[in-house]
Amino acid sequence: MAKIIYTHTDEAPMLATHSLLPVIQAYLGTAGVEVETRDISLAGRIAAAFGKEPDALAELGELAKTPEANIIKLPNISASMPQLNAAIAELQAQGMDLPNYDDASDEDKAKYDAVKGSAVNPVLREGNSDRRAPLAVKNYARKNPHSMGAWSADSKTNVATMGADDFRHNEQSVILPAEDTLKIQLVAADGNVTVLKEKLPVLAGEVVDSTVLRAAALDAFLAEQVKRAKDEGVLFSTHLKATMMKVSDPIIFGHVVKAFFPQTFEKFGKDLEAAGLSANNGLGGIFAGLAELPNGDEIKASFDAELADGPALAMVNSDKGITNLHVPSDVIVDASMPAMIRTSGQMWNAEGKQQDTLAVIPDSSYAGIYQAVIDDCKANGAYDPTTMGSVSNVGLMAQKAEEYGSHDKTFEIQTAGKVQVVNAAGEVLMEHDVEPGDIWRACQAKDAPIRDWVKLAVTRARASQTPAIFWLDSERAHDRNLIELVNKYLAMPEVVGDTTGLDIQIMSPVEATKFSIDRIRKGEDTISVTGNVLRDYNTDLFPILELGTSAKMLSVVPLMNGGGLFETGAGGSAPKHVQQLVEENYLRWDSLGEFLALAESLRHLSKTAGNESAAVLADALDKATEALLNNNKGPARKVGQIDNRGSHFYLAMYWAQELAAQTTDSKLAEAFAPVAKLLTENEQKITEELIGVQGQPADIGGYYRPDEEKTNAVMRPSATFNEALATLS
């Protein structure tokens, strides 16, 4: 029997799965397609790390290397420390024997650290990324434009970034001539050697980089930006990626917190440190722990005084007093910056009003792309969703390519000296002078993924007859090596095929941004071909401007060994949606990404398993999705209208109607005729049952690991709909 693996993840996508998966399993079962689940949620990963449950992520990681792989991957929590601690506490309360992080042994802390951040994606992504807006979604956005705030040429909004001594400016890079095993070591001023990483296996042709962000320069830069925001009368905000960059960016976030409250940390820093209240975890964690300190009220008063005296601070939730500096994972740069740009370049202040903002992005590697968009909006006004073109993305990410800051090759330096990358022969390949507090990191990109990335970019350019732009900065050591390899493979027809007539260029990220947004304003499309971090940035930036959300993107990962990974769009896992469900039994999460991914998964399955009925299901699903969009049956925005569950019902109804009416597969048509009739005739009753439960609190029995029975009851409240699905069993 043909098989698709549907991942069980976290938060809003997980809740939606309880409603949508029964539809998928019932419909696909008619074509002999089995749909299994694997738990890769944060709670599931913690349980697996301590041997309490099977390691589903490791299993899928091995499956992804096989031609049989067909995995639908939903968004999951890339945990920060506050989220990790909350999940541990919930599992403990449910009876799971787990140590607290702070009290854990080094071995157990290492298990927890492996769960943090972007732990899932590197394991599953044995291929490069192809993300684009499907035509039906783009057409819908043009007919039903989302709101775009007006821009003024007088806007004070800007990006602030470092001009020296950051990751971009200090980068070194080498291409390995042969297979080797490298070592990363810190040589102190007195000659003492500390091995930071004993063995780093590399392959011939692999690109390896190292760089350092200097703490003293970072602190000076941040102090300047706090003063600048105050002087200019704009909100202060910082935009990092403490999820994917799980080692480096929480540390940088801690520096930002300390820079905003210098007097408090000067006076009470040792007290906070002794109590385990780290700035790296944000104000939320510090404030929650102050009650346990004898001088907690005094410390809180000091924070409040500096908050009142400093620049206005951007808010995540002004109603609840949650600031930009409360939780490191609350403000993720790739989602927060385009959201700000969409809202007139403004964020929310403590009074719940929009205000111009100084967006502080310390590392200058990619900060310039946002400034380029802001400058364009100041000059030309907001973008028009009814006419603007699209920027799709081909992203380098296979085999953990360019996993900056999210792995075991990033360190906060404890001793002054030199960090060296040394080969097996003892030769120093790269070296940086370091001081205590500096953040040093290395990363890798193997040759096979790079070659596959170039090939995929050319394939997409050829298929769409669209310019493909490699976003590579010749002033960065890593990108110079990538440029060399890109040019090499573009000149090899045996790798990329015939490139005659194709518009393929290499530009710096800033120039590529300007090129792309110029085409956007003309209604023209462009393919951005980027490395891993920029892939994340671009697949939020442009879709949020074009479509209003990045969750509506089609995200296909052609796995290098012939399998398929189908991601359900970007956009995070929407904790606010979970809060709304618990408070008023209403889920706003839009499962459109799941619909799009499922159709592509079925098409892939039809080819690899020779299952013609799977292709019929896919075509009918696409038509159903288009009908859902055209009839505005996606989740509405408030209680009393259809929510995520209602959109699943309408997808099921339109899908059944399409299958009952199709003429290429009589068996499917016969199976779905009665279902289509039942759903169509009971449309009003089913929607009334779905809407009728709204407005009251919902009990799902947990956040990170809800109770299965309670969650099913909340997410499947229509008996009529459930009974209709059961007829397909």
Side-chain angles (χ1 to χ4, degrees):
M1 193 175 194
K3 184 186 297 185
I4 290 173
I5 304 294
Y6 200 92
T7 54
H8 178 95
T9 58
D10 301 284
E11 296 180 326
M14 173 273 299
L15 293 173
T17 296
H18 284 266
S19 168
L20 180 59
L21 187 59
V23 176
I24 294 173
Q25 289 174 323
Y27 280 45
L28 271 58
T30 61
V33 178
E34 186 177 359
V35 183
E36 296 183 356
T37 61
R38 294 293 187 277
D39 184 355
I40 58 170
S41 66
L42 174 58
R45 300 194 316 266
I46 292 171
F50 286 86
K52 308 296 183 182
E53 295 172 4
D55 192 340
L57 180 57
E59 177 195 349
L60 293 186
E62 290 304 310
L63 177 63
K65 299 174 184 176
T66 70
E68 296 76 33
N70 192 320
I71 303 167
I72 296 178
K73 190 265 173 187
L74 280 72
N76 58 277
I77 291 175
S78 295
S80 62
M81 273 307 305
Q83 290 171 310
L84 179 66
N85 283 326
I88 294 168
E90 183 172 313
L91 289 171
Q92 289 171 335
Q94 293 174 357
M96 191 174 290
D97 182 18
L98 295 169
N100 292 324
Y101 182 89
D102 290 337
D103 303 328
S105 65
D106 289 345
E107 181 183 355
D108 285 346
K109 276 187 178 176
K111 293 177 183 178
Y112 280 135
D113 288 340
V115 170
K116 286 192 303 185
S118 185
V120 170
N121 294 338
V123 175
L124 298 185
R125 288 171 171 169
E126 283 289 320
N128 292 308
S129 172
D130 175 6
R131 283 189 176 176
R132 57 190 186 274
L135 183 60
V137 174
K138 186 67 175 177
N139 288 341
Y140 176 80
R142 283 177 167 155
K143 293 174 186 173
N144 303 272
H146 51 274
S147 62
M148 295 284 274
W151 272 83
S152 165
D154 299 327
S155 170
K156 296 180 180 179
T157 291
N158 278 295
V159 173
T161 193
M162 295 175 71
D165 274 329
D166 61 347
F167 290 132
R168 176 176 180 266
H169 289 88
N170 290 328
E171 189 172 68
Q172 300 175 23
S173 181
V174 294
I175 300 178
L176 276 298
E179 186 175 324
D180 205 338
T181 300
L182 310 183
K183 178 167 63 177
I184 302 172
Q185 61 187 25
L186 170 61
V187 182
D190 61 4
N192 184 55
V193 177
T194 302
V195 176
L196 301 178
K197 188 167 182 64
E198 180 69 44
K199 293 182 179 180
L200 180 60
V202 292
L203 301 175
E206 190 158 352
V207 180
V208 180
D209 314 322
S210 65
T211 187
V212 62
L213 188 151
R214 306 199 187 283
L218 173 64
D219 289 340
F221 162 77
L222 291 171
E224 290 172 5
Q225 304 322 309
V226 173
K227 182 179 185 300
R228 176 182 171 184
K230 174 86 171 180
D231 292 345
E232 294 182 5
V234 295
L235 293 177
F236 177 94
S237 67
T238 192
H239 302 259
L240 298 164
K241 197 166 177 61
T243 49
M244 180 180 181
M245 321 284 267
K246 67 181 180 182
V247 179
S248 60
D249 281 28
I251 298 171
I252 297 171
F253 185 83
H255 280 267
V256 180
V257 173
K258 290 178 180 178
F260 201 90
F261 301 97
Q263 296 169 27
T264 301
F265 280 93
E266 175 69 26
K267 186 174 182 181
F268 300 109
K270 291 182 179 178
D271 295 341
L272 294 171
E273 185 178 354
L277 301 177
S278 171
N280 294 11
N281 295 333
L283 295 179
I286 292 174
F287 290 169
L290 289 181
E292 305 297 321
L293 301 186
N295 58 344
D297 289 342
E298 185 184 2
I299 298 175
K300 182 62 165 63
S302 180
F303 274 112
D304 290 343
E306 287 200 87
L307 192 59
D309 188 52
L313 185 55
M315 305 297 288
V316 170
N317 188 324
S318 54
D319 292 338
K320 296 183 178 180
I322 299 174
T323 73
N324 178 269
L325 300 180
H326 258 62
V327 181
S329 56
D330 268 357
V331 183
I332 304 301
V333 58
D334 42 326
S336 60
M337 284 301 297
M340 183 186 83
I341 291 166
R342 231 192 91 183
T343 315
S344 308
Q346 299 177 331
M347 294 182 73
W348 302 98
N349 61 24
E351 287 73 46
K353 297 178 181 178
Q354 291 178 209
Q355 187 174 337
D356 288 349
T357 305
L358 181 66
V360 178
I361 306 174
D363 178 39
S364 64
S365 294
Y366 305 120
I369 69 173
Y370 296 116
Q371 187 65 56
V373 177
I374 288 169
D375 290 343
D376 178 71
C377 288
K378 287 180 182 180
N380 301 303
Y383 300 102
D384 183 355
T386 66
T387 60
M388 64 190 294
S390 288
V391 178
S392 57
N393 180 260
V394 172
L396 173 63
M397 64 181 190
Q399 299 180 350
K400 303 183 181 181
E402 297 189 352
E403 284 292 326
Y404 295 104
S406 66
H407 44 56
D408 56 354
K409 296 182 286 294
T410 301
F411 308 95
E412 187 174 26
I413 301 302
Q414 305 300 316
T415 307
K418 297 178 184 293
V419 176
Q420 299 173 334
V421 178
V422 183
N423 67 13
E427 299 167 327
V428 176
L429 303 181
M430 293 175 282
E431 180 179 84
H432 289 94
D433 292 326
V434 292
E435 296 291 334
D438 289 353
I439 306 168
W440 186 96
R441 75 182 188 198
C443 87
Q444 301 163 261
K446 295 177 175 59
D447 182 61
I450 294 169
R451 193 184 320 119
D452 181 78
W453 172 59
V454 177
K455 178 183 176 182
L456 181 58
V458 173
T459 300
R460 289 296 308 138
R462 186 183 298 117
S464 61
Q465 289 297 301
T466 303
I469 310 301
F470 284 86
W471 292 41
L472 295 170
D473 183 355
S474 62
E475 294 184 9
R476 279 188 58 187
H478 168 82
D479 284 14
R480 283 197 296 273
N481 279 335
L482 264 288
I483 289 170
E484 177 185 329
L485 294 172
V486 168
N487 283 326
K488 171 185 172 182
Y489 292 129
L490 286 176
M492 296 173 63
E494 64 271 27
V495 173
V496 299
D498 185 7
T499 59
T500 304
L502 300 182
D503 185 355
I504 299 174
Q505 302 180 53
I506 298 173
M507 299 181 184
S508 73
V510 169
E511 290 307 310
T513 303
K514 293 176 180 178
F515 178 86
S516 301
I517 56 182
D518 179 61
R519 288 178 60 83
I520 277 177
R521 289 195 180 274
K522 297 175 184 175
E524 298 172 341
D525 299 340
T526 315
I527 300 170
S528 65
V529 190
T530 70
N532 207 349
V533 177
L534 261 178
R535 171 194 58 79
D536 254 10
Y537 287 15
N538 282 7
T539 54
D540 268 337
L541 172 59
F542 294 108
I544 287 174
L545 299 178
E546 295 170 26
L547 310 175
T549 173
S550 54
K552 295 181 178 180
M553 294 289 280
L554 175 62
S555 182
V556 178
V557 181
L559 299 175
M560 291 174 63
N561 288 328
L565 175 66
F566 307 92
E567 299 183 306
T568 63
S573 45
K576 289 182 179 179
H577 292 181
V578 185
Q579 296 163 13
Q580 186 177 14
L581 178 88
V582 171
E583 291 169 3
E584 53 188 18
N585 203 347
Y586 189 90
L587 184 63
R588 276 177 53 189
W589 176 260
D590 190 341
S591 293
L592 180 64
E594 287 97 294
F595 308 158
L596 300 172
L598 177 59
E600 291 301 314
S601 169
L602 285 166
R603 285 197 183 89
H604 181 78
L605 188 77
S606 73
K607 295 174 184 175
T608 58
N611 187 326
E612 295 180 3
S613 293
V616 175
L617 283 167
D619 291 343
L621 175 55
D622 276 345
K623 292 175 182 176
T625 301
E626 192 162 0
L628 180 135
L629 289 170
N630 291 337
N631 292 312
N632 288 313
K633 296 301 183 183
R637 299 185 68 82
K638 59 184 179 181
V639 170
Q641 302 171 297
I642 65 165
D643 69 350
N644 174 266
R645 296 163 291 190
S647 72
H648 294 166
F649 158 66
Y650 276 104
L651 180 86
M653 185 178 78
Y654 295 141
W655 196 2
Q657 290 170 347
E658 290 291 342
L659 287 164
Q662 57 85 30
T663 58
T664 57
D665 191 319
S666 59
K667 182 181 175 183
L668 286 181
E670 184 178 343
F672 281 95
V675 180
K677 186 172 185 291
L678 274 173
L679 296 180
T680 304
E681 290 177 350
N682 288 284
E683 175 185 353
Q684 183 175 345
K685 183 180 181 183
I686 292 170
T687 55
E688 287 174 353
E689 289 174 349
L690 293 170
I691 293 172
V693 299
Q694 297 175 11
Q696 302 295 323
D699 178 14
I700 57 175
Y703 186 92
Y704 295 95
R705 175 154 284 185
D707 179 88
E708 189 81 8
E709 194 170 315
K710 289 180 178 180
T711 309
N712 280 334
V714 169
M715 293 306 299
R716 302 189 67 196
S718 170
T720 309
F721 185 26
N722 297 343
E723 289 164 6
L725 286 182
T727 64
L728 285 171
S729 298

